[in-house]
Amino acid sequence: MNAPLLFPAPPIPTLPVRGRREVIPVRRIFCVGRNYEAHAREMGGTVDREAPFYFTKSALHCVRSGVTLPYPPGTSNCHHEMELVAVIGRPAFRVTVDTAAEHVFGYACGLDLTRRDLQNAAREVKRPWDLGKDFEGAAVVGDVVAADECGHVRAGTIELRVNGATRQRSDLSLMIHGVAEIVAHLSGYYHLEPGDLVLTGTPEGVGPVQPGDRLEGSIEGVGTILATIGAPA
Ligand code: MN
């Protein structure tokens, strides 16, 4: 017998799928760090070609494209990071690079919003990045396009404009670890399930956002994303 919930269960964030009535329930959010060489360099970090590394965000911190997000608390240096999101569509555990794509339902544009001052402070003293990376609204994700429709994207322009000015512009082909490689690697550590999201890292050009900023991102063959930064919470 199911015991009644003492508190209401939180609503599960969902993502629209292009051309479909059904939406995708967001399960877990895995994020890859330093996956473009030029971004690793601008962060003063090194590149690891052997294996990707990760941090996570709470699924409850996922918001849809079109959101107006209050400028987050506790920071004076909140940065945009424009990223390709891969959406897991079939269970994946210990899959190979060759078969990993079969477990990806589709793709979306994403913004890995980052309290850079808090992330850097944590990094310096070798503490976890959570305060810098995992906060309310920190994962903005656009509409999902099924791989059946767009194919498994491996190349194409990824771009972010702030108030109409291009801040980030690169190509997916410059990712150090591609989607298949990331999914295969992650599946060695987790039983990946439908609705898990993977943010695959940002190219160079990250920078601060301000209240009133309008962020417009696009990825060739995938779609667009829009977020507006509002007054501080
Ligand atoms: Mn990122």
Side-chain angles (χ1 to χ4, degrees), residues 31-34 39 55 81 83 112 114 133 199-202:
C31 306
V32 179
R34 290 178 216 147
H39 171 64
F55 56 90
E81 294 192 359
E83 314 202 354
D112 165 17
T114 301
K133 285 292 194 179
L199 275 66
T200 58
T202 194

Side-chain angles (χ1 to χ4, degrees), residues 4-221:
L5 299 175
L6 183 55
F7 306 117
I12 300 170
T14 59
L15 297 172
V17 182
R18 191 188 301 166
R20 299 277 288 260
R21 200 176 64 83
E22 302 98 326
V23 295
I24 290 175
V26 177
R27 198 164 179 276
R28 292 173 293 186
I29 304 176
F30 300 98
C31 306
V32 179
R34 290 178 216 147
N35 201 25
Y36 291 77
E37 196 168 344
H39 171 64
R41 257 190 270 116
E42 76 181 346
M43 292 298 296
T46 52
V47 168
D48 188 346
R49 291 192 178 274
E50 290 300 304
F53 77 93
Y54 311 92
F55 56 90
T56 58
K57 299 197 187 216
S58 166
L60 298 179
H61 294 163
C62 182
V63 292
R64 289 184 181 190
S65 174
V67 69
T68 295
L69 200 66
Y71 190 88
T75 182
S76 55
N77 195 21
C78 181
H79 276 205
H80 53 76
E81 294 192 359
M82 177 69 196
E83 314 202 354
L84 172 70
V85 181
V87 181
I88 301 297
R90 285 177 50 198
F93 182 60
R94 293 180 177 158
V95 300
T96 64
V97 174
D98 290 344
T99 61
E102 298 166 17
H103 302 264
V104 175
F105 171 80
Y107 300 90
C109 295
L111 286 168
D112 165 17
L113 294 176
T114 301
R115 294 191 282 213
R116 190 73 71 201
D117 40 1
L118 303 189
Q119 183 202 15
N120 285 345
R123 209 167 67 141
E124 272 170 34
V125 292
K126 297 184 157 70
R127 285 182 182 166
W129 291 1
D130 301 50
L131 280 184
K133 285 292 194 179
D134 192 12
F135 53 92
E136 291 142 10
V140 186
V141 180
D143 292 8
V144 176
V145 57
D148 287 349
E149 219 175 287
C150 69
H152 288 287
V153 290
R154 292 183 179 85
T157 303
I158 176 170
E159 186 175 5
L160 182 74
R161 296 169 297 283
V162 180
N163 304 324
T166 299
R167 292 269 195 93
Q168 295 189 264
R169 186 178 166 87
S170 184
D171 196 283
L172 297 178
S173 61
L174 294 174
M175 288 201 291
I176 295 162
H177 306 284
V179 171
E181 201 181 332
I182 293 164
V183 169
H185 183 261
L186 251 187
S187 79
Y189 297 87
Y190 297 92
H191 293 78
L192 297 178
E193 293 287 342
D196 284 337
L197 308 184
V198 185
L199 275 66
T200 58
T202 194
E204 70 276 22
V206 301
V209 299
Q210 308 294 343
D213 280 354
R214 180 183 164 89
L215 282 56
E216 293 172 286
S218 57
I219 298 176
E220 202 179 338

